[in-house]
Amino acid sequence: MPQPLVPDTDLVVIGGGPAGCAAAVMAASVGLRSVLVEPRALGHTLRRIPALENVLGFSSGPDYADALAADVRRAARCEVLLGASADRLDAADDHVTVHLAGSGRTLTGRFAVVATGVRDARPDEADWITGADPRSAPLWQADAGSLADRTTLVLGADRPLGTLLRGHPEAPLRLVVPYPEADAYKTDEVRDDPRVTLVPVRSLALSARPGGGVLAEATTPDGRTGQRLPAADAVFVNLGCRPSTLPGLRTAPDDGYCPPDRQHPRVLTAGDLRSARAQRIMTATGSGAEAALRAYYATRLDS
């Protein structure tokens, strides 16, 4: 008779952001062993957010990232694998197997929490933009000092725009922001900032300006063509995000996200990966903790 598999751990946590860290800490608090897999540093994405206004107890992303990392280090029963990334997840009736990229190593657990989050959307994924360089940097990488007193074209009005402005309230920026009508609700927090020129468009065509820089010509929402935007010295992408999925997850057909209710019973998704809605740090943290508790109660049923 084949021997039953003894998993390496109770819970494999994939992703070291707020959701993954919360899952690991919660798992430890209820006596579950876990292995947390993260290719960079714990709280890596948080470290690019200079100002927070919707997280209890913290006003900056780096401070919150440091606190998360410290909490995970203190968590008993949690092993952290930094510099490792998962490239596939297989789920069976009684365990999950996580395959690590490059090494050929696998981890087995009774359950998996997948909190791989989202990635920056590229300009070639936006059907309203033509001519953009797909290598254009995302806005969160912009150095406010280097943009001072220059005209900067920002493609899209997603949340990093407000973060940049809040983090550098005195910087002399000139930001020209074309955005599709569907994203109008995202402009509310920056609409009154005099450093921003908001331009609703139906479509946008970009071209190189002789001597350097970027030219942009828009089609307005009512169909008028040929609207010239101010010539820009630099262009940054701010188009929102796309889910960072993993082979083995079950995705929603409409947007590619991974809702918890579509997954194998031993696979729990958490954080921004779940859906395009409620992508906030505090909701991610809560969902990670909830996923660990679901695994805990399920292990009690297994016993």
Side-chain angles (χ1 to χ4, degrees), residues 113-290:
V113 172
V114 185
T116 47
V118 292
R119 61 169 176 81
D120 296 307
R122 303 186 304 269
D124 59 353
E125 294 175 314
D127 58 8
W128 57 278
I129 300 173
T130 58
D133 185 344
R135 299 167 298 178
S136 296
L139 184 63
W140 62 264
Q141 292 182 357
D143 176 5
S146 69
L147 301 182
D149 297 314
R150 303 171 64 197
T151 299
T152 302
L153 184 67
V154 178
L155 304 177
D158 207 60
R159 281 179 288 148
L161 177 61
T163 300
L164 174 67
L165 296 168
R166 289 194 306 272
H168 305 279
E170 305 301 326
L173 304 173
R174 293 197 303 269
L175 307 179
V176 178
V177 184
Y179 64 94
E181 281 192 291
D183 289 348
Y185 70 97
K186 297 180 181 180
T187 66
D188 290 344
E189 67 172 319
V190 302
R191 188 171 296 280
D192 295 330
D193 194 309
R195 298 172 293 174
V196 177
T197 299
L198 293 168
V199 185
V201 303
R202 178 181 293 180
S203 63
L204 187 74
L206 304 182
S207 60
R209 181 175 64 180
V214 179
L215 296 174
E217 188 172 285
T219 298
T220 64
D222 61 5
R224 288 181 291 115
T225 61
Q227 179 185 359
R228 284 287 183 94
L229 276 59
D233 302 306
V235 58
F236 286 89
V237 178
N238 189 41
L239 298 168
C241 51
R242 298 290 185 273
S244 292
T245 58
L246 183 69
L249 293 175
R250 299 172 183 173
T251 59
D254 54 341
D255 60 9
Y257 282 88
C258 304
D261 59 2
R262 293 182 63 89
Q263 308 309 312
H264 186 281
R266 292 192 176 271
V267 176
L268 308 164
T269 54
D272 291 355
L273 179 68
R274 296 171 299 160
S275 76
R277 298 189 176 191
Q279 291 189 351
R280 297 293 189 272
I281 292 169
M282 289 185 67
T283 56
T285 303
S287 71
E290 181 184 18

Side-chain angles (χ1 to χ4, degrees), residues 23-45:
V25 171
M26 179 61 76
S29 75
V30 293
L32 295 183
R33 299 171 298 130
S34 67
V35 178
L36 190 157
V37 179
E38 165 56 47
R40 291 164 293 191
L42 297 179
H44 169 81
T45 303

Side-chain angles (χ1 to χ4, degrees), residues 64-143:
Y64 188 43
D66 289 341
L68 285 181
D71 285 344
V72 172
R73 286 194 297 268
R74 285 193 296 268
R77 301 171 178 264
C78 177
E79 177 186 358
V80 179
L81 295 182
L82 296 182
S85 59
D87 63 5
R88 194 172 88 245
L89 171 66
D90 296 322
D93 289 340
D94 59 353
H95 70 281
V96 296
T97 302
V98 176
H99 302 259
L100 301 184
S103 67
R105 180 182 175 185
T106 60
L107 295 170
T108 56
R110 298 176 75 174
F111 293 86
V113 172
V114 185
T116 47
V118 292
R119 61 169 176 81
D120 296 307
R122 303 186 304 269
D124 59 353
E125 294 175 314
D127 58 8
W128 57 278
I129 300 173
T130 58
D133 185 344
R135 299 167 298 178
S136 296
L139 184 63
W140 62 264
Q141 292 182 357
D143 176 5

